[in-house]
Amino acid sequence: MLTENKYKKQICDIGKRIYDKGFVAANDGNISIRVSENEFLITPTGVSKGFMTPDMILKVDGQGNVLDGDYRPTSEMKMHLLVYQERPDIQAVVHVHPPFATAFAIAGISLDQAILPESVVYLGTIPIAEYGTPSTQEVPDAVKKFVHHHKGVLLENHGALTWGKDLEHAYYLMESLEFTAKISWIAKQLNGDRELSKEHVQTLIDMKTKMGVQGVSPVGSVPPEGIHAMKMTPPLEQSLTEHDVNLIVEKVTKNVLDELKKLL
Ligand SMILES: [Zn+2]
């Protein structure tokens, strides 16, 4: 068990990592750790998470009352406390606005496809919690229904939230969540984000069960939609660039003119 000072330092270290990773802009994002059943360390509002020092970290109770600290706690504290209230096994919560995952949250696309084996096993599915005005009770209310069976959520038109057995775990889940969203987006630009088949997913779920990893897993696809569909050729309209189209138009025009000239 780390001492409170070490936990405060760990929050600052993870704050620097989320800032350096581009998971937050300006003073966005917040991090918390449970230090006893009803006591939590949490980041302050109005401070860049990349440049925090341990003295800035506050201690609050389960109702959000400040027990120790000179700063004001994050306005998004309610969703952190909701997670701790519902999940006594959780020791840390991370909330950030990572660009790819946040874009999915804006587009209304949850991360529930079986596209990467690691995501199937360790991350599971990441649903979208319905939009709530930041700092209000609407946000924890929206998160509540997903907190027991998932490792995190996308917050609609807002960002992402993960929770873990310690702070490093919660942070790594956030890295995986953003990485999955990024890869999914890139694959969509190429040949579509083809899913693993149901059979492949079942093998991964068996591994996951043996490893004791909890949480809802993606279902996987049934051919012909899955990776065995071998849709390796992109649709014609996607494979042609504007330059290709101009060349074709030029060539067809020339052929037509040549044919007309023969008639004259
Ligand atoms: Zn936020």
Side-chain angles (χ1 to χ4, degrees):
M1 190 77 170
L2 297 174
T3 63
E4 249 174 59
N5 278 343
K6 282 192 177 162
Y7 280 133
K8 286 182 179 177
K9 191 173 173 309
Q10 195 186 19
I11 289 176
C12 297
D13 291 345
I14 295 294
K16 182 160 172 29
R17 284 163 84 173
I18 61 169
Y19 187 75
D20 291 348
K21 274 268 187 187
F23 286 1
V24 286
N27 298 335
D28 297 345
N30 30 77
I31 301 165
S32 66
I33 291 184
R34 188 203 295 271
V35 287
S36 75
E37 199 184 330
N38 200 39
E39 291 179 319
F40 310 89
L41 297 176
I42 196 159
T43 49
T45 188
V47 166
S48 169
K49 304 308 169 293
F51 303 93
M52 294 185 298
T53 48
D55 58 297
M56 294 176 177
I57 309 299
L58 298 109
K59 187 151 102 174
V60 298
D61 66 16
Q63 285 68 50
N65 301 307
V66 176
L67 304 174
D68 186 28
D70 301 325
Y71 286 73
R72 277 194 305 126
T74 168
S75 59
E76 297 181 291
M77 177 168 59
K78 289 190 184 93
M79 67 184 172
H80 290 248
L81 296 177
L82 176 276
V83 175
Y84 295 123
Q85 200 180 343
E86 296 291 320
R87 292 281 304 269
D89 57 318
I90 291 301
Q91 206 214 348
V93 176
V94 172
H95 164 59
V96 288
H97 307 156
F100 287 91
T102 303
F104 272 69
I106 291 168
I109 305 170
S110 53
L111 299 173
D112 58 2
Q113 285 189 297
I115 54 166
L116 291 166
E118 290 81 359
S119 304
V120 172
V121 174
Y122 297 108
L123 189 63
T125 61
I126 301 295
I128 301 180
E130 192 185 335
Y131 180 77
T133 305
S135 85
T136 70
Q137 187 59 32
E138 292 169 8
V139 183
D141 286 350
V143 170
K144 193 173 179 178
K145 66 177 168 190
F146 301 113
V147 76
H148 289 280
H149 303 294
H150 296 273
K151 296 189 172 72
V153 287
L154 298 179
L155 301 167
E156 190 175 15
N157 286 66
H158 180 171
L161 183 72
T162 52
W163 44 87
K165 59 182 167 56
D166 55 40
L167 183 52
E168 197 159 53
H169 183 217
Y171 169 73
Y172 280 138
L173 286 170
M174 187 59 80
E175 268 197 1
S176 298
L177 186 156
E178 173 65 350
F179 185 73
T180 302
K182 185 175 180 178
I183 295 294
S184 177
W185 187 83
I186 294 170
K188 281 177 200 290
Q189 314 312 306
L190 297 169
N191 192 22
D193 44 357
R194 295 175 308 135
E195 287 195 89
L196 296 168
S197 70
K198 260 186 164 170
E199 290 73 22
H200 284 146
V201 170
Q202 190 53 53
T203 307
L204 293 168
I205 292 173
D206 292 345
M207 280 171 57
K208 178 175 169 171
T209 309
K210 275 185 200 149
M211 290 158 73
V213 180
Q214 310 280 321
V216 178
S217 306
V219 176
S221 72
V222 179
E225 290 84 12
I227 59 169
H228 296 302
M230 301 306 287
K231 295 184 292 182
M232 299 311 291
T233 313
L236 186 62
E237 66 272 21
Q238 281 180 22
S239 64
L240 293 176
T241 63
E242 195 179 337
H243 179 68
D244 295 331
V245 172
N246 287 339
L247 281 179
I248 291 169
V249 169
E250 205 175 293
K251 200 167 177 182
V252 170
T253 308
K254 186 176 176 304
N255 286 348
V256 170
L257 286 174
D258 287 348
E259 289 300 315
L260 282 173
K261 272 179 200 160
K262 278 184 209 165
L263 295 172
L264 293 172

